[in-house]
Structure formats: C-alpha cells, structure tokens
Amino acid sequence: MVFDYSALPREFKRRYLPQRISFDWEGLNGIFEELKRRPLGSAAELERWLSDEAELDAYVYEQRAVRYFNSTRQTDNPEYTKAYEEYTEILEPRIKLANFELLKKYQSSRSRAQLPKQNYGLEDRRRQSAFSIFREANVNLEKDESTLSQQYFRTMAAMTVTYRGQERTLQQMSRFFEEPDRAVREEAWRLAGRRALADSDALDSIYTKLVALRDKIARNAGFDNYRDYIFVKKDRFDYAPRDCEEFHRGVEEAIVPLSRDIDRARAERMGVDVLQPWDMVVDPAGKPPLRPFEEISGLVSGAGKVLSKVDDELSSYYESMVRLELLDLESRKGKAPGGYQEELAEVRYPFIFMNATGKDDDVRTLLHESGHSFHTFLMRKVGVPFFNGNANMPMEFAEVASMSMEMITGDHYEGAFYSGNDAKRSNWKEFVDNVKLFAWVATIDAFQHWVYTHPVHTTDERARAWVSTFNRFCGLESFEGLESSRAYRWQRQLHLFEVPFYYIEYGIALTGALGIWSRYRNAPRDAIEAYKNALALGCARPLPELFEAAGVEWGFGPGALRRIAGDLRSAIKEYSE
Ligand SMILES: [Zn+2]
C-alpha cells in the first residue's frame, strides 16, 4: 500500500526548484550551494531568497512526510522502514548542517533590518534565537539522543503480556480497564503493571543517560541547565519557567479539588470505599463501553454529518480529504500505533493516520486530527511562504485548533454516532478527561522542571521527586501496596524520553480550546468565524495575538484556571446522567 499522492491537485507551482529532483544528497547539495552562494544585496533579493529557501523546506518536509506515512502505514515492509531510516540517519544530519550555513548567511545579511516587520518580525526572532544556540558539536549529541530514544521505543514495544491466551501490548491491555467486571480489570491492570516494572531498571538507565546528554547539550550552548536552553530552543517567547510554575499552582488550587470531587462521585456511584487504579476509566454506572460505529465507513460518514452541522467551509475541507483518500483510519496488522495529522507541505494537503477500533475515543481522535487538518487548509491562504506549514506552528496554538474541534462537535453526536443518553455519556467523559488532562500536564511538566534543574541525582532521588509531584496533582485512587507502580509510572510517558519539555503546550492549548468551546455554545457563528480567522494567520503572529484572534484570552495562571474550573464543573454537571 504505497502512498500515491501524484493525483492530488497541485495548485502551488514551484518558482525556484527544478521539476525533477532526486531526494538524496546529490540531488539536494546543488540547491543548498546555490542558495549559499547567491549575493543578497537588497531587501527584495533577501525576500526572494527566503521564498526560494521556503520552497526547498517545503519539498524536504513533504518528502520526509511521505516516507513517514509509508513506514507507519506498513511497519512490516522493510523497504519503507529503510527509506525512512536513510532519511533520518544519513540525509537529515547533512540537511541540518546545510541549513545552519543558510542561517549564518541570513544572520549576516544587512538587508534583514529592512524586511517589513509585520510579516518577518517573528520569523527574524526565531532565526536569531536558533542561530544563538546552534553548536556544531551538538549535532552529534542530538544523534546520540535519538539513538537512546529508539532504545526506549524498542524496550516499550517489546513489553507484551499473555492474557486470555493471546499476546498483547500494554496499550491493548488498557481496553480491559473499561470492563464492568472489577476482578477482570484488576487482573489485567496487575499483569500489565508487573510487566512494566520488569523493565524499570533498563528504562531508568536510558533516562539517566538522556538527562546527562541533554545537560551537556545545554552547557555546550552556554546555558546553566537544559530547562533554560529548551525554552530558547522551543521559541517560547511569550512565557517563562515561572509562568509554568504558576500554572502548576493554579492546577493544584483550582483543578485538583474538582478532580477529587469527580473521583468521590465515582466511588459513590460504583459503591466502593476505596478507588483502585483499575477503577478510574470504567463507566461508573457499570454500563458497557460506548460503541459509536461498527465499520470504518460509519466513522467517516458520522464525522461528516457532525462537521456539516458545525460549518460549511470546514465541512467541505473534510469532504475533500475523504474524496482524495487522505484518511487512513482503520486499525490493521502491521500498522504503527497511535494517530497523527501530517502535512504534505508542497501540495499543502493534510493526511490523517489513526487506529480506529470502534471506540468513543476514535470519534474524538478523528475530529481532533480534523481540527489540525483545518489548520493546514486555512493556512493555504497565507501569503508569506515560510509562515505556511506545520513545521513552524507553535504547538500551544496548533492544539487549540484540534482540541476545540473535539469539544465543539460533541453537541452534534446525537444521530451521527449515538442515540438515547449515549451522546451525553460521551461528552461527560470528554470533560472529565479534560480535568484529568490538566492535572497530568502539571504533573509531567513539574517533574521535568525538577529533573533538569537537578541534573545530578540518583535514581532513588528521582523516584522520590516523582512521587511527591504525582501526589500533589493526583486524584483519589489508592496506591497502597502498589507503591512501586506509582514510583515508575512516569516511565510510560514517552514525551519524557522522546520530546523533553513538550507537554505544557497541551495545558496552554486546553485553556484556549475551552474558551472557544464556551463561546461556541453562546454564539456559534462568531466563535467559528474567529476560529477560522485565527487559523488562517498561520504562525506569523505571536501566541497572545493568535489567541486574541480566536476570541479567547491568553493566560494560564491561577486566575484563568479558577474560571476554567468553574466552566468544567458546570459542563460535567450538565452531562451527568
Ligand atoms: Zn493534536
């Protein structure tokens, strides 16, 4: 099943790149060299140069994406795996170095100052920042970092258990946590927990190496610690570590009490004195899990129905994805786990990948990824070339586009996926999940702040720091007798290994998404217009302006979280049966 996108409409013609390029170093080197040699006298020449460079970026991004699609759609085809690995191992490091040469050229160009600020100001700041922290020595350390991350993935992928006569991954085991029978849930939970613990030393050792490596990368770049380095690396111009600490405090004060009230109600409904970790995702009234569709075609048409009630333009984008076969939704053998939306940067079409099996979560995932794809469609309207594309989009706003779509669509599930009380049940779950997500984001983020500002620590000290962070934000489930499962729970959060400090973005985005949702309920037309206008800005504006354009306030401190906790509390009450 090779991904054939040759039939997609090509509305954005190349102005600079040759029609045929071979995607290897021979093919690319000449183009990089030409850009490097070209004189940049005037602002007009610099603008043209930036636009040509953006064309090259889009080409590389698209070629990488196609290799990635193929390798995830068919992990059992060694050719696809090889093609993607060749890109990451051989081509990508060369492209990084060549890009740095172009960055140096840009930095030393005197015409920089004459570029119009409105269009180029933020991009200029991003480049300035990337230039200031680039160290050639770190390119190799980053390669070591990705080798260690792959070790993490291999260790996790090999974690299977045999349950009811079948070998299953820990992810597959999680469906048993939704079983109404408590004994089944406990058995499944304990089995998965024991298997995870068997590798805790190996994972500890991978993480220790990663922390040391990252500390070194930061010091090479002239920083005291990796936390301060990553804030610069991730272009976090609009907030600082102390704002994250305020977010943690806000979650502790406003969200954690709500989360514990939800758990108290759950225990009462379930008729248990003490909630166990295997009691947390089952339907508290003992109902079987929601089943929104039987066949994939039901998921595709259901989402179409829902979106047609939200907005004609957005709905037409979705329908064009269906028509152009840009959705790969069903779970099948050989497919990688998870879900994502990626962009084909030259043709500027999105592609959605996921593993649907007929669960309520699948509906939310498709509508979430559709929100990302609307971003890709709406960014087609952006004129300045390097502002297009997911590559530069700050995740703090990208996730607003997707998370708000998850919630906005919830009120239209009746008739498309559910009848009777089931749409309400699905929405109740969505908003309870949002409360739990805020708490989990604070946990993961606060833990990372500790880890990287205490780069020298023993594994025992780390486990203690984790447990005290966990206890600060957790619900009411008891870990009595399960202490080691709690102490190593962080090891199952892949972000800690693969994409350090990438997590607070979900918390920030959730504040914006909830703002759009609550506006949509009062004034749906206004909310959707603002949503579309904000997405169409691409990444040319700073985060506070993107939030403002979407009609929501920028801010994720204790005050904002108190207001949000109030909204969440009433939504959960409204959707309770
Ligand atoms: Zn997302």
Side-chain angles (χ1 to χ4, degrees):
M1 182 183 273
V2 65
F3 180 63
D4 176 23
Y5 67 109
S6 56
L8 289 179
R10 292 199 166 256
E11 292 140 72
F12 302 91
K13 300 270 175 269
R14 289 180 184 170
R15 296 197 318 166
Y16 166 62
L17 294 181
Q19 286 315 309
R20 285 183 178 283
I21 312 168
S22 68
F23 191 62
D24 49 33
W25 192 239
E26 283 74 64
L28 292 175
N29 190 27
I31 303 167
F32 275 110
E33 282 302 315
E34 192 282 320
L35 286 169
K36 211 173 115 184
R37 276 196 315 267
R38 195 192 302 176
L40 297 179
S42 64
E45 279 174 338
L46 180 58
E47 273 197 271
R48 178 66 204 233
W49 184 85
L50 284 167
S51 141
D52 293 347
E53 186 202 42
E55 221 178 276
L56 174 61
D57 282 349
Y59 167 73
V60 170
Y61 196 80
E62 177 164 302
Q63 291 301 315
R64 184 205 62 85
V66 170
R67 277 157 187 75
Y68 183 69
F69 297 158
N70 285 333
S71 73
T72 53
R73 295 177 92 191
Q74 234 178 294
T75 58
D76 46 8
N77 183 328
E79 249 177 68
Y80 293 157
T81 313
K82 196 171 144 237
Y84 186 64
E85 278 175 6
E86 267 173 12
Y87 168 74
T88 56
E89 280 162 29
I90 301 167
L91 210 46
E92 194 177 35
R94 286 183 162 175
I95 291 173
K96 269 190 192 174
L97 289 173
N99 271 332
F100 182 65
E101 291 300 315
L102 298 186
L103 186 58
K104 271 203 292 210
K105 186 182 175 80
Y106 172 83
Q107 280 301 112
S108 61
S109 152
R110 275 200 297 273
S111 317
R112 253 174 78 195
Q114 282 134 43
L115 293 174
K117 280 267 174 307
Q118 177 73 10
N119 291 339
Y120 292 93
L122 185 57
E123 177 64 16
D124 185 70
R125 197 172 171 195
R126 287 191 185 115
R127 286 176 188 239
Q128 173 79 37
S129 164
F131 181 76
S132 72
I133 61 166
F134 185 89
R135 298 292 181 276
E136 206 165 324
N138 282 346
V139 174
N140 267 329
L141 297 182
E142 283 168 9
K143 235 172 91 182
D144 296 346
E145 196 186 358
S146 93
T147 309
L148 281 165
S149 300
Q150 280 157 23
Q151 270 182 39
Y152 170 75
F153 275 111
R154 273 197 299 277
T155 312
M156 293 304 283
M159 274 193 195
T160 59
V161 293
T162 305
Y163 185 59
R164 296 186 174 173
Q166 229 181 307
E167 190 186 8
R168 300 169 202 262
T169 63
L170 299 197
Q171 252 182 345
Q172 286 164 340
M173 287 303 285
S174 64
R175 85 182 185 89
F176 295 102
F177 308 156
E178 293 179 15
E179 285 285 320
D181 185 340
R182 200 182 195 196
V184 170
R185 296 199 302 272
E186 175 172 0
E187 188 189 18
W189 193 93
R190 285 184 184 275
L191 189 64
R194 269 198 303 278
R195 179 61 191 87
L197 277 181
D199 276 328
S200 60
D201 285 348
L203 294 175
D204 243 346
S205 134
I206 294 173
Y207 197 61
T208 300
K209 286 181 202 152
L210 277 169
V211 172
L213 198 56
R214 286 167 183 162
D215 192 58
K216 194 166 170 206
I217 289 173
R219 286 175 199 279
N220 280 349
F223 289 82
D224 287 340
N225 62 65
Y226 186 74
R227 180 189 69 178
D228 295 350
Y229 166 83
I230 202 83
F231 269 68
V232 177
K233 167 108 176 166
K234 288 166 84 52
D235 296 334
R236 290 180 174 176
F237 302 135
D238 303 300
Y239 61 101
R242 66 176 174 283
D243 297 307
C244 298
E245 286 158 13
E246 282 297 282
F247 171 78
H248 307 155
R249 190 165 70 82
V251 169
E252 188 177 18
E253 288 171 6
I255 303 289
V256 170
L258 172 58
S259 159
R260 294 182 181 166
D261 285 346
I262 292 168
D263 288 356
R264 230 167 262 123
R266 167 179 283 278
E268 204 172 296
R269 190 91 201 242
M270 290 173 72
V272 299
D273 292 333
V274 179
L275 285 170
Q276 301 291 347
W278 46 85
D279 293 330
M280 306 311 286
V281 293
V282 63
D283 183 275
K287 295 199 175 139
L290 291 164
R291 291 281 173 249
F293 58 92
E294 295 284 334
E295 304 284 333
I296 290 298
S297 58
L299 174 61
V300 173
S301 63
K305 255 188 232 170
V306 165
L307 288 167
S308 72
K309 291 187 183 147
V310 173
D311 181 65
D312 288 346
E313 184 182 359
L314 299 179
S315 159
S316 78
Y317 293 147
Y318 174 80
E319 293 306 335
S320 72
M321 292 189 77
V322 177
R323 206 170 48 242
L324 297 167
E325 297 180 17
L326 295 167
L327 308 172
D328 182 357
L329 309 183
E330 86 275 11
S331 178
R332 53 166 196 271
K333 193 168 174 285
K335 208 170 153 177
Y340 62 79
Q341 183 269 167
E342 242 315 353
E343 181 191 12
L344 293 157
E346 271 205 296
V347 293
R348 301 212 208 164
Y349 276 107
F351 178 85
I352 294 178
F353 170 99
M354 61 180 276
N355 281 278
T357 55
K359 299 193 309 276
D360 180 63
D361 281 354
D362 297 334
V363 172
R364 299 282 175 185
T365 303
L366 177 56
L367 289 160
H368 175 106
E369 304 304 343
S370 296
H372 285 307
S373 74
F374 299 152
H375 220 156
T376 301
F377 278 111
L378 287 159
M379 277 194 285
R380 292 177 137 224
K381 299 176 180 174
V382 184
V384 183
F386 51 70
F387 297 151
N388 299 306
N390 293 320
N392 283 329
M393 178 56 63
M395 296 311 291
E396 294 89 342
F397 191 68
E399 291 296 330
V400 172
S402 55
M403 287 173 159
S404 58
M405 210 30 70
E406 254 180 74
M407 288 179 243
I408 280 175
T409 50
D411 283 336
H412 308 296
Y413 286 0
E414 182 107 39
F417 292 110
Y418 295 119
S419 57
N421 237 351
D422 282 355
K424 235 173 138 186
R425 271 178 75 195
S426 166
N427 283 318
W428 175 84
K429 190 172 156 290
E430 170 77 4
F431 283 88
V432 167
D433 286 350
N434 285 335
V435 173
K436 299 287 176 182
L437 180 59
F438 269 127
W440 188 245
V441 169
T443 311
I444 294 297
D445 191 59
F447 178 58
Q448 300 200 73
H449 280 250
W450 183 88
V451 166
Y452 292 100
T453 51
H454 301 78
V456 183
H457 57 250
T458 66
T459 50
D460 282 343
E461 285 165 339
R462 185 159 70 215
R464 275 200 295 280
W466 165 257
V467 171
S468 76
T469 310
F470 183 92
N471 288 343
R472 190 177 160 203
F473 302 107
C474 68
L476 293 180
E477 72 271 39
S478 160
F479 283 88
E480 223 182 297
L482 303 164
E483 285 79 6
S484 26
S485 275
R486 179 176 48 189
Y488 291 104
R489 175 64 187 82
W490 59 272
Q491 293 183 336
R492 285 158 82 175
Q493 189 65 52
L494 74 92
H495 296 69
L496 293 173
F497 291 80
E498 197 201 17
V499 276
F501 280 97
Y502 175 26
Y503 221 71
I504 186 80
E505 288 89 338
Y506 293 111
I508 296 173
L510 187 50
T511 64
L514 282 162
I516 293 178
W517 166 79
S518 87
R519 209 170 158 215
Y520 179 77
R521 302 202 93 195
N522 298 317
R525 291 280 20 111
D526 293 354
I528 293 295
E529 281 317 305
Y531 171 90
K532 291 197 288 192
N533 290 338
L535 266 58
L537 287 173
C539 33
R541 316 299 321 144
L543 285 169
E545 286 181 36
L546 292 174
F547 273 62
E548 194 192 324
V552 294
E553 246 172 79
W554 165 258
F556 47 92
L561 287 164
R562 258 195 304 279
R563 220 173 28 249
I564 286 168
D567 289 349
L568 285 168
R569 203 179 275 276
S570 35
I572 289 165
K573 195 164 169 231
E574 179 191 332
Y575 293 126
S576 291
E577 286 174 67

